[in-house]
Amino acid sequence: MSASTAVPSGRFAARRQRLAEVSSRHRSWSIVVGIAIIGAILPVLANIPPFTLATPTNAWMDGFTNAGVWVLLAIGLNLVVGVAGLLDLGYAAFFAIGAYTYAYVASPFGNSILGIEFVTKVSPDLSGLVFWPMLLVGALVAGMFGILLGAPTLRLRGDYLAIVTLGFGEIVPIVFLNSDAVTNGTNGVGGLARPALPIIGSFSALNPWPYYISMLVLVAVVMMLAYRLVESRLGRAWEAIREDELAAAASGINTVTAKLLAFALGASTAGIAGVFNASKLVTVSPDQFTFIVSFTVLAMVVLGGMGNFWGVAVGAFVIYTINNVLLKVLNQFFDAVSFPILKDIDFIQLQFLLYGLALVAMMLLRPEGLFPNSRRQRELHTQVLEPGADELTTAEATTEEGQR
Amino acid sequence: MTALPATSEAGGARVPMGASLKPLLRLVVPAVFLVGAYAFMGPEQFVNALTRGAIYALIALGYTMVYGIIELINFAHGDMFMMGAFVSLTFLGQILGLTGSITDIARLAPLLVAAFFVSMIVMGAIGVTIERLAYKPLRGAPRLAPLITAIGVSFILQNIVMLKYGPFQTNSPKIFPSFDIVIGSAKIPALSVFIIVVALSMMVALQLFISRTRLGRAMRSTAADRDAAQLMGVNINRTIAITFLIGAALAGAAGVVNGLQYGVSRFDDGFQAGLKAFTAAVLGGIGNTVGAALGGFIIGFIEVGATVMGFSRWGPAIVFGVLVIVLVFRPSGLLGQQLGERA
Amino acid sequence: MKLARVGAALAAAAIVVSACGGSGGSKTITIGISLPLSGSDLASAGPARDGALLALKDFTLAGYTIKTLILDHAVNGIHDPQQGSKDMTTLVSDATVVGVVGPFNSSIAKVQIPISNEAGLLQCSPANTNPDLTKGDAGKQLRAKAPDKINYIRVATTDDIQGPAVAQYGINKLSLKNVAIIDDTETYGKGIADAFAAEWTKLGGTVVGREGAPKGTTDYTAILTKFAAAKPDAVFYGGVTSTGGGLVRKQMDQAGLGAAAYLGGDGIQDGNGATDGAFINIAGAAAANSFSSVAAIHDIPGAADFAAKYKAEYKVDPGSYSASGYACAQIIIAAVKAAAAKGDVTREAVRAAGTNTATKFDTILGSVSFDAVGDSSQKIISMYKVDMTAAGGKGDWIFDFQVDYK
C-alpha cells in the first residue's frame, strides 16, 4: 500500500534515518525544536503572497491558533483511538466540558452559579491570570468525566464502544442545552475573561501573537507528555490492548485501569483544548460542540496516521486549513488574481463537495494516513514490508527495540 | 486484518440461555413490551411510534447489512435515505407532475409501486457505484480509512442534492390520501398502516432472501468468514456489491415512505436519520438484520414515549441513555451473535 | 539562517507589492458581509446576503473605490463560532473594512462583538433578536473593552418585544385562549417562545403544552398528537421555517389540529406560496389560519420597488431576511456617506455615524434610529395572516394590524 512512498536511496535515506534516531533519543528536545521551527515558519508564510492575497496576516495567525486547538484535540484523540485502539466518536463531549469548566470560573454568569465573586471583583488583567491554572483544572475535570463515561464502556469492544461514545457526545451538548438554570441553555455563557500574563496584561482580540505563542507552548508540552506516555509502560500496555485485549489481559496487564487511563488522558487533552478555545472565543454555547466536531477530529487522526503524534498534528493542520481556510477563500483568491472561469464559480456552494472529495481522495491515496505509525504499518503489511521501505519505520523500530 | 479489534466471537460468546427458554422469551418479552406501550401511550401515539420506527428500521437494515459483511460503519447511508426521498419526489412531483393526494385506488396503487420501484432501483445503482469507487479500493486498508471516506461521500452526496434542489425544504407530493381508520375511539391514519405494512413486508422479504436463497447464503458466509467463503467459490466482490445494492434500495424505500408521510425533504435530512438508524442497528446487535429492525422500532417507541412523558427536548439523550444501559448489560446488543455474523 | 533570510526578503517584497497595488489614486473602503452561507443556514442567511449586495451594488462614492468582502462562517454546514471569530479577525485586520453586515446567529454575535468592539468596527446584524447581545450586564460584558463605544447595531426588534406582541394579538384580536407552544431549542426560537408564553399567561391565556424539537426533526406527529389531547385553540411555533416552522403546520392536520390557529414570529414570514422553501410553500393548503409578526411598519414606501428590484436581480422573490440585509447595508452606506461628508472615511468615523442616536436612517424597513445600546428604536410590530387565495392561489401573507410599542 505504501507504493506511493518512494524508496529513498543512499545518502538521503541515511540522513533521514539519523534524524529519526536523534529525534527519538532526544524526544522532548526534538519536539521543542520542531515546534519552534514550525512556529517561526508559519508567520513568515502568513506575510508573503499568495497567502496575503485573500487573508490578512493577523487572520492567518488567528487561523493557525485555531488550528492549534484542533492539533491538541487530534493528539488527545490519538491517545484513545490511535494508541489504545478504542474508537471514540464522542470526543467533542470532553472539549465541551473543558470549555464550560473555564466558563464557570471566568465569567460573571458562571461565578453566580458557583456562588463566588471572582471576575466581577477583580480587574481583567488579574482575572485573566486564572486561565493558566484553569488549563490544569479543565484537564482534570474533563479527565474525571473521561473516567466516568469510560467506565460503562469497559466491557464493550470495537464498534459498540464507538456508538456508546457517540451517544455521550450527543448527550453532553443536550444537557448543556437544556439545563437552562445552570448553563444558560441555548444562549450559552458569555463574557469570559481573556487570558492574562503579569507583564503584558490581558490578551487582546486584535493581537493574535500572545494566543499564538501560548498555543505553540501548549502543543509542545502536550506532545512531549503524549510521547512520554506512549513510550512508558502504560503506553506499551495500550498498544498491547489495541493488538489483542485478551492476550494483553493474559500477560498481566490490568486492562481496566489502562483503558480508563486512556479515556481519562485523552479527555483531559480535550479539556485543555476546550479551556483554550473558550478563552479565545470568550463565550461558550452548546452549538460549539456538535457531533461534527468529533467527526472532524477523527478524520484528522485517521488522515494524519493513527498512532503517530506528529502525523495526527499534521493531519489536524491539513484538514483545518483545507476546510476552514482554503475552501473559504477560493472566491476571494480567484477574484484577486482574476483567474478566468474560476473567478465566476461560487466556491462557497461547492465546499461540501470539495471537502468530501478531498477526504475520499486522501484516504484512497494514503489509506494508512499521511504518516503512519511504524508498528501499525508493520501489522498491516507484514508481507510487503521490506527493510528500508519506510525509512521512518525502520529507524523507529530499531530504537524501540534498543530501548528495551 | 483490523486495526481496531472488532468484537470477536470470544467477546460475545455469552453463557447460552436454556435452549428451550429462549424462543419463548423471544415472544413473551416483545409482547409484554407492546402491550405495555399501548396501554401507556394510547393507540394514536402507539401508531406514531410504529410509523417512525418503521422508517428507522428500513434505514437500519442497510447499515447493519453493510456492517455485517465488511465491518464498515457506512456513515453515508443516511444520505442514501435522503437521496431516495429526492428520487421519489423528483419522479412523482417533477416527472409525473403530481401534487395532491390520489383517492382512486386503481391509479394510486401503480403509482406507489412505481415510486418504490424507481427509487429503489436508482438508489441501488448509486449504492453499488459508491461501493465500487470509494470503499472497494480500501478493502484490506485500516479499519477507519473507509469510515473517513464514508464521511467524505456523505458530504459529496449532500452537496450534490443541495446544488440541485437548494438548501431549503422541498415538497414531496403526498399522493396517499389522508383518511383515518377508526377503531373504537381511536383514529389511525391509513397512511401509517400502509407504511408499517410496507416496511414489515420488506423486512420479511429480506429475511427470506438472506436465509433461503443462494445469494443470501453467499452473503451470510461472506459475513462469517470472507476468506473461507472465497475458497468455497463465493464471488466476494459480487456478494458485497449485492449487499450494498440491497441496503441502498431499502434506504431508497425508506426515502419514499418518508416523502409520503412528511411530504418534505431537505439535503441534510440524512444526517439525523442515519444517526438514529445506526443507533438502532447497534441496539439490535450490529450485523443482525432482525436486530436492526427491532432496534428501529424500539427507538421509535423511546422517542415517542419521551414526548408523551414531556421530555421531547431530551429525546436524543434518552435514546442514547437507553442504548448505553442496554449495552452495559448486553455488550453485543439485544440480538447480537444470533446469526453468527462477525460483529 | 538562510531560510529566515529568504522569508524576510519575501515578506519585504510582499509589503512593497501590496503597498503599490493598493494605491490607484482613490482610497479603497471595504464593506464586509459575515454570514453563514453554506449548508442549511444558507436558506435564511442567503437572502440576507443578497439583500445587502443589492444595496451595495449601486453604491459609489467620489474619491473612493468600494469593495465587498463576503465571508462564510458555516463549517460543515452549520454556523461555527470559531470560524465566526476568525472571520471577524479577518475583517478587523483589514484596514480598509469600515462596516460589516452580520452576523446571523446570536452565538456568532457573542464571539464577534468582543472583537469588533475592541477594533471599533461598525457591525449591523440583519437577524439577531436576542436581548442579551446589547442590553444590561450581558451586553456590557460583550463590549468589555469599550462599553460605551457602541459598534454593534441591529435592525430586528428583540424577542422581548416581538414575542409579547404576538401574544397580545392572539388574545385580544383573535380571542384565543388555550395555546400549545413548540420551539426549535435554538436561541431565537426558544427566546421568542419564552417571551410569548410569559405574556400569554399574563394576559389570562392558558399554555396547555410546551415542547421542544431541535432542528433536523422531521416527525412532529408525537408532539402534535399530545397537543391535540389538550385541545388548544392555537399552536405557537418559536423558530424559523427551516428549523420546522412549515413542517409543524403541515403535520397538524394529521394529528387532528387542522382547525387550530397557528402563530409565529418573523421566522415564518418568508414570502408567498410560490417561494421555494417558504412557510406557505411547505405547509401548502394547511397554511391557512396562520398568523405571524414582522418587526417593521407595513406600508414602507419603496417596498414594492425593492421587491421588484430584488426579483429582477436574483430571479426569486425576497426571502425572510432580504429586507433586513438590505436595510443593514443601507445604514452602513449612510454612515459611510456621513463620514465622507465630515471629512475622511475612517473606521471610527463610520462607527460614530452609524451609532449616532440622533440620526434617523431611511431604510427599506422604514425610518430607523438606534438607542444607546445599539438596538433599533423602531418598535412597531405588524401582524400578518395567510390568505390562501392571494398570490394566484398559492397563498401569501396579508397585512392585518400593527401596533407601536414605544
Side-chain angles (χ1 to χ4, degrees):
Chain A
M1 234 11 114
S2 45
S4 53
T5 332
V7 176
S9 56
R11 224 178 51 184
F12 188 55
R15 255 192 214 174
R16 296 267 312 251
Q17 181 156 344
R18 256 202 66 208
L19 187 70
E21 268 174 38
V22 169
S23 80
S24 60
R25 212 174 313 128
H26 306 284
R27 183 67 83 192
S28 301
W29 280 113
S30 65
I31 289 171
V32 171
V33 171
I35 300 266
I37 292 175
I38 294 168
I41 291 176
L42 289 178
V44 174
L45 284 181
N47 264 309
I48 57 170
F51 302 105
T52 43
L53 273 183
T55 310
T57 306
N58 274 3
W60 275 109
M61 302 312 298
D62 191 60
F64 291 143
T65 314
N66 287 347
V69 171
W70 293 95
V71 168
L72 284 180
L73 288 171
I75 291 175
L77 188 63
N78 188 39
L79 277 178
V80 187
V81 178
V83 178
L86 307 165
L87 182 50
D88 187 343
L89 292 181
Y91 196 57
F94 307 116
F95 187 40
I97 287 166
Y100 270 88
T101 305
Y102 183 65
Y104 277 116
V105 175
S107 77
F109 174 84
N111 282 191
S112 71
I113 296 293
L114 294 184
I116 54 175
E117 284 187 358
F118 173 65
V119 277
T120 40
K121 287 277 159 87
V122 187
S123 78
D125 283 2
L126 277 176
S127 63
L129 286 173
V130 79
F131 169 75
W132 307 103
M134 279 311 289
L135 284 171
L136 269 184
V137 177
L140 275 176
V141 173
M144 266 157 49
F145 275 93
I147 292 177
L148 209 67
L149 304 189
T153 66
L154 286 173
R155 284 178 64 197
L156 304 174
R157 283 153 186 253
D159 296 322
Y160 290 95
L161 176 69
I163 183 86
V164 169
T165 51
L166 189 155
F168 285 132
E170 289 286 288
I171 290 173
V172 167
I174 292 176
V175 170
F176 284 128
L177 178 69
N178 288 328
S179 313
D180 292 55
V182 289
T183 62
N184 208 17
T186 168
N187 273 324
V189 183
L192 276 61
R194 288 190 187 276
L197 275 173
I199 298 159
I200 65 168
S202 182
F203 288 15
S204 150
L206 305 182
N207 180 2
W209 288 96
Y211 278 114
Y212 177 69
I213 290 164
S214 319
M215 179 45 90
L216 287 180
V217 173
L218 263 184
V219 169
V221 170
V222 167
M223 203 183 263
M224 270 192 254
L225 292 175
Y227 265 112
R228 290 265 152 136
L229 268 173
V230 171
E231 284 160 8
S232 72
R233 206 182 148 80
L234 182 61
R236 288 195 292 275
W238 285 339
E239 284 180 351
I241 290 174
R242 181 185 77 206
E243 298 317 327
D244 189 336
E245 195 175 333
L246 281 178
S251 34
I253 291 171
N254 186 342
T255 57
V256 171
T257 322
K259 280 163 87 175
L260 280 181
L261 277 174
F263 269 113
L265 292 167
S268 52
T269 314
I272 294 174
V275 170
F276 187 93
N277 200 47
S279 83
K280 188 161 170 294
L281 298 182
V282 298
T283 180
V284 292
S285 54
D287 61 354
Q288 294 173 4
F289 311 103
T290 51
F291 179 48
I292 209 78
V293 172
S294 307
F295 248 5
T296 308
V297 184
L298 184 67
M300 289 163 170
V301 170
V302 175
L303 183 91
M306 287 199 297
N308 180 348
F309 289 100
W310 278 107
V312 301
V314 172
F317 193 81
V318 166
I319 289 198
Y320 177 85
T321 311
I322 289 180
N323 203 16
N324 296 47
V325 183
L326 291 183
L327 291 178
K328 298 284 173 194
V329 300
L330 282 176
N331 279 345
Q332 285 103 282
F333 180 76
F334 287 119
D335 262 355
V337 297
S338 306
F339 200 93
I341 306 170
L342 285 180
K343 76 174 163 45
D344 297 324
I345 298 177
D346 185 3
F347 283 100
I348 287 180
Q349 297 320 307
L350 298 174
Q351 273 180 78
F352 275 24
L353 190 67
L354 297 175
Y355 179 52
L357 285 174
L359 284 183
V360 173
M362 289 192 288
M363 277 344 292
L364 290 183
L365 291 175
R366 304 275 308 182
E368 287 98 9
L370 298 171
F371 305 99
N373 172 294
S374 50
R375 271 188 225 176
R376 303 200 69 144
Q377 177 126 10
R378 267 177 293 153
E379 288 147 28
L380 289 160
H381 299 287
T382 37
Q383 68 278 41
V384 291
L385 189 94
E386 51 215 311
D390 188 322
E391 63 285 1
L392 237 165
T393 310
T394 24
E396 246 181 55
T398 335
T399 43
E400 268 162 18
E401 246 104 279
Q403 282 175 345
R404 304 262 156 87
Chain B
M1 59 147 282
T2 55
L4 284 163
T7 318
S8 62
E9 276 87 344
R14 303 169 46 78
V15 185
M17 230 181 256
S20 58
L21 206 65
K22 225 174 168 182
L24 191 68
L25 264 178
R26 284 235 174 93
L27 286 177
V28 170
V29 172
V32 169
F33 176 80
L34 287 178
V35 171
Y38 186 88
F40 172 68
M41 50 173 70
E44 278 103 354
Q45 294 287 33
F46 187 77
V47 172
N48 284 343
L50 278 179
T51 316
R52 194 187 284 207
I55 296 176
Y56 289 154
L58 280 179
I59 311 172
L61 285 174
Y63 250 118
T64 218
M65 286 171 67
V66 166
Y67 186 89
I69 206 152
I70 57 169
E71 289 191 5
L72 163 67
I73 305 176
N74 182 7
F75 271 112
H77 190 66
D79 299 289
M80 302 301 282
F81 154 74
M82 174 274 295
M83 283 191 106
F86 273 94
V87 169
S88 148
L89 78 84
T90 310
F91 173 69
L92 291 174
Q94 297 179 357
I95 297 180
L96 298 182
L98 303 171
T99 46
S101 66
I102 294 164
T103 38
D104 179 9
I105 184 101
R107 254 191 89 211
L108 178 67
L111 278 174
L112 285 174
V113 172
F116 278 106
F117 187 76
V118 168
S119 182
M120 290 173 77
I121 295 283
V122 171
M123 290 322 296
I126 294 177
V128 171
T129 313
I130 290 174
E131 193 273 332
R132 183 71 194 74
L133 295 179
Y135 305 141
K136 193 170 169 225
L138 289 174
R139 240 174 255 164
R143 268 294 295 299
L144 293 180
L147 181 79
I148 304 300
T149 56
I151 297 170
V153 169
S154 162
F155 279 124
I156 295 171
L157 296 180
Q158 288 190 31
N159 205 150
I160 290 172
V161 173
M162 192 175 85
L163 286 175
K164 175 88 178 64
Y165 295 90
F168 30 70
Q169 288 148 332
T170 306
N171 275 305
S172 180
K174 296 186 78 169
I175 61 168
F176 202 93
S178 86
F179 65 92
D180 294 339
I181 298 171
V182 181
I183 307 169
S185 64
K187 287 194 286 186
I188 308 301
L191 177 57
S192 297
V193 176
F194 171 75
I195 288 172
I196 296 163
V197 169
V198 166
L200 285 177
S201 35
M202 282 190 184
M203 288 166 206
V204 171
L206 176 71
Q207 214 50 45
L208 289 176
F209 174 80
I210 290 177
S211 57
R212 299 286 162 81
T213 65
R214 241 184 114 76
L215 275 172
R217 201 158 61 221
M219 282 166 66
R220 278 183 294 144
S221 56
T222 308
D225 188 333
R226 195 189 299 169
D227 295 338
Q230 192 160 24
L231 288 174
M232 294 296 157
V234 174
N235 183 337
I236 300 296
N237 285 337
R238 199 184 61 182
T239 310
I240 293 177
I242 287 172
T243 309
F244 269 87
L245 182 117
I246 296 174
L250 288 171
V256 178
V257 165
N258 190 71
L260 292 175
Q261 167 79 353
Y262 305 120
V264 163
S265 292
R266 187 165 61 188
F267 74 97
D268 59 355
D269 277 355
F271 180 73
Q272 279 295 331
L275 211 58
K276 300 275 171 58
F278 176 42
T279 313
V282 176
L283 191 63
I286 193 159
N288 180 324
T289 46
V290 179
L294 183 70
F297 283 112
I298 289 177
I299 290 181
F301 273 101
I302 296 173
E303 286 188 346
V304 174
T307 303
V308 171
M309 287 188 273
F311 294 106
S312 56
R313 282 169 209 283
W314 295 89
I318 295 172
V319 167
F320 285 109
V322 169
L323 178 84
V324 172
I325 294 168
V326 167
L327 290 186
V328 165
F329 291 102
R330 283 191 70 89
S332 310
L334 291 172
L335 301 184
Q337 314 298 317
Q338 190 205 11
L339 293 181
E341 261 116 341
R342 258 195 301 198
Chain C
M1 231 174 131
K2 214 156 97 191
L3 192 71
R5 232 171 36 223
V6 173
L10 283 171
I15 293 161
V16 172
V17 166
S18 60
C20 294
S23 58
S26 69
K27 186 181 170 188
T28 300
I29 56 172
T30 306
I31 315 274
I33 295 178
S34 180
L35 293 167
L37 297 171
S38 48
S40 54
D41 285 330
L42 175 65
S44 15
R49 169 200 57 189
D50 293 344
L53 285 177
L54 189 63
L56 291 167
K57 200 178 135 213
D58 306 324
F59 174 45
T60 50
L61 192 62
Y64 293 91
T65 313
I66 315 289
K67 278 182 149 184
T68 49
L69 177 57
I70 305 171
L71 298 175
D72 161 34
H73 55 245
V75 177
N76 296 323
I78 182 148
H79 53 272
D80 181 73
Q82 198 191 44
Q83 191 71 11
S85 123
K86 177 175 168 289
D87 285 353
M88 187 42 77
T89 308
T90 304
L91 292 166
V92 299
S93 7
D94 181 343
T96 65
V97 175
V98 293
V100 176
V101 177
F104 200 81
N105 309 82
S106 59
S107 63
I108 307 294
K110 283 193 174 152
V111 300
Q112 288 193 339
I113 294 172
I115 304 172
S116 58
N117 174 256
E118 199 170 335
L121 174 62
L122 180 66
Q123 187 177 9
C124 175
S125 167
N128 290 159
T129 54
N130 183 358
D132 283 356
L133 294 179
T134 49
K135 296 178 186 172
D137 288 342
K140 275 213 187 87
Q141 282 160 23
L142 291 181
R143 303 189 295 269
K145 287 281 166 169
D148 304 315
K149 225 163 112 182
I150 303 297
N151 72 297
Y152 168 87
I153 52 179
R154 52 176 160 188
V155 293
T157 307
T158 47
D159 297 335
D160 50 353
I161 295 170
Q162 208 185 143
V166 181
Q168 289 164 17
Y169 179 77
I171 292 213
N172 299 336
K173 288 275 165 180
L174 301 176
S175 311
L176 301 167
K177 179 118 189 65
N178 298 323
V179 70
I181 302 174
I182 175 168
D183 70 66
D184 65 359
T185 76
E186 301 203 357
T187 318
Y188 164 73
K190 186 153 184 303
I192 195 169
D194 284 344
F196 171 87
E199 182 75 8
W200 191 271
T201 328
K202 207 174 97 191
L203 294 174
T206 314
V207 175
V208 297
R210 178 77 203 260
E211 303 287 339
K215 173 186 166 181
T217 304
T218 48
D219 183 359
Y220 294 90
T221 52
I223 289 175
L224 293 171
T225 304
K226 190 181 173 195
F227 282 171
K231 307 220 180 313
D233 316 322
V235 171
F236 178 87
Y237 182 76
V240 298
T241 305
S242 68
T243 57
L247 267 172
V248 171
R249 188 47 166 163
K250 200 175 181 119
Q251 291 176 20
M252 273 167 65
D253 185 43
Q254 199 175 324
L257 285 168
Y262 192 67
L263 306 170
D266 55 0
I268 61 168
Q269 232 269 23
D270 49 5
N272 63 27
T275 310
D276 280 334
F279 168 76
I280 304 175
N281 179 272
I282 289 165
N289 203 17
S290 300
F291 305 85
S292 74
S293 62
V294 170
I297 56 168
H298 167 60
D299 43 349
I300 303 160
D305 186 38
F306 165 71
K309 235 168 84 186
Y310 190 94
K311 180 130 194 181
E313 178 78 22
Y314 302 112
K315 313 283 177 283
V316 291
D317 287 316
S320 180
Y321 295 93
S322 303
S324 321
Y326 190 84
C328 264
Q330 282 182 313
I331 290 162
I332 290 174
I333 290 170
V336 169
K337 281 182 179 161
K342 276 193 186 169
D344 197 16
V345 180
T346 62
R347 193 177 273 181
E348 173 56 23
V350 173
R351 185 204 65 78
T355 56
N356 188 344
T357 51
T359 314
K360 282 201 182 306
F361 295 96
D362 197 19
T363 74
I364 194 68
L365 300 176
S367 173
V368 175
S369 60
F370 297 99
D371 64 14
V373 291
D375 280 342
S376 167
S377 59
Q378 195 287 103
K379 297 206 163 48
I380 294 170
I381 308 279
S382 304
M383 294 301 309
Y384 289 75
K385 67 192 269 189
V386 170
D387 180 353
M388 286 311 290
T389 59
K394 297 257 186 197
D396 200 356
W397 291 102
I398 302 297
F399 172 72
D400 190 33
F401 174 74
Q402 78 184 23
V403 59
D404 192 346
Y405 290 88
K406 278 236 186 290

